[in-house]
Amino acid sequence: MLVNKCLQDYREKYSASFATMQHIKSTFNKLFDHAVLYNIIPASPTAVLHLKATTTEKIERKDRLESKFLDSREVKVLFTELAQRRNPAYYDLALFMIATGCRIGEASGLTSDKIDFAKKTVTISSSMQSHDLRVDEYYEDTVKTVAGERVEQLPDFAIAALKRAIHRNAVFDRRMKELPSDAFHEFQVIFRTEYGSPITSHSFREVLGRIKADLEKNCEKRYGFKWTKNPVPHSFRHIHISVLRDDSSVTLKEVQERVGHVEERTTDGYTHRLSHSQEKSVEVIDTFARKVGISLQPV
């Protein structure tokens, strides 16, 4: 009750948006989950708290979510455009994210030791923190929730994307040693900018923003329809979940295991209409990839 009152008082005092309150509650969740983990408190007081949005906020949020979600035709166009970017790492990152539903921070901090190529799995156990930080201040943090620590099976196109990125990194590392420069950064992550630093939400948003601006001008001429969407890094998580939820053969539990959700309402918030082994999920994502023209060919 105390935490609930604190949240209500804050919202009234600062006229905070629902999105801001969600961020604050998320931070509370992490703090209290940590306390539960180390037996400081028996249970998280925020676990039973649910924020309520106004009708206007619900409509605005729905509109924002829909603008971030891309249908099959739009996904195909976006990947076509990403494949033409100067740095192919953004294309491979997008492939990995749509294949796994990872958050951008989880993908940004991903290292090769978290990939088991023999089993075709990835272990998600950390998240790169970069907001308002200089490159040399980036640090590895825990994932958003306890349930966020997970192992996901990977479709073949994601494996191919990872291998391409790792190969490019090996080439870059050799060149960096041969021709050192203060402009270069040394990180062991898989998805990097042209200067060796992790691809963060900020840098990925910039690339997607430039593609959006170009498509708003040229999509109808180039692809035959008007572009109205606002792709962001989180769009790939929305698409991944929606594709799986659209197939009745994939259970809700399997989807939740892949993306690190505990509550059904959380997963439903990512769902747009379109087994523990996760084999069915991989099959469905693979089918969708072929439908939108994603192949295993090098980029």
Side-chain angles (χ1 to χ4, degrees), residues 66 69 238 241-242 245-246 266-273:
E66 288 303 322
F69 176 73
H238 281 264
I241 293 172
S242 296
R245 291 303 306 277
D246 197 49
T266 305
T267 311
D268 284 342
Y270 282 84
T271 304
H272 307 254
R273 293 308 163 196

Side-chain angles (χ1 to χ4, degrees), residues 30 106 124-127 141-146 148-150:
K30 292 185 72 173
E106 296 168 345
I124 306 297
S125 58
S126 62
S127 180
D141 196 5
T142 58
V143 289
K144 188 175 181 180
T145 64
V146 175
E149 293 192 12
R150 60 200 188 275

Side-chain angles (χ1 to χ4, degrees), residues 9 38-39 41 52 125 137 146 154 180 184 196 201 205-206 227-228 270 281 298:
D9 289 348
Y38 287 93
N39 295 317
I41 56 176
K52 294 183 179 180
S125 58
E137 295 175 334
V146 175
L154 298 169
F184 295 149
S201 177
R205 278 175 179 270
E206 284 193 334
W227 188 266
T228 61
Y270 282 84
S281 292

Side-chain angles (χ1 to χ4, degrees), residues 164-231:
R164 286 195 298 267
I166 291 171
H167 174 72
R168 284 194 303 270
N169 293 340
V171 174
F172 174 85
D173 291 341
R174 286 197 300 270
R175 289 178 178 172
M176 188 169 62
K177 289 180 180 179
E178 296 168 357
L179 301 168
S181 169
D182 291 339
F184 295 149
H185 301 279
E186 188 173 354
F187 281 87
Q188 297 305 309
V189 298
I190 294 177
F191 300 110
R192 309 180 193 174
T193 67
E194 292 173 303
Y195 297 98
S197 59
I199 294 177
T200 62
S201 177
H202 176 72
S203 54
F204 200 9
R205 278 175 179 270
E206 284 193 334
V207 170
L208 293 173
R210 289 195 291 270
I211 290 176
K212 175 196 171 190
D214 177 55
L215 287 174
E216 286 175 340
K217 295 179 182 178
N218 302 307
C219 189
E220 190 166 17
K221 178 175 63 177
R222 204 177 293 162
Y223 300 105
F225 67 95
K226 289 185 177 181
W227 188 266
T228 61
K229 297 300 179 68
N230 178 38

Side-chain angles (χ1 to χ4, degrees), residues 36-62:
V36 171
L37 181 64
Y38 287 93
N39 295 317
I40 298 170
I41 56 176
S44 169
T46 57
V48 294
L49 294 182
H50 299 296
L51 299 176
K52 294 183 179 180
T54 65
T55 301
T56 301
E57 287 173 329
K58 288 178 180 178
I59 294 173
E60 291 175 348
R61 182 173 184 271
K62 182 177 182 296

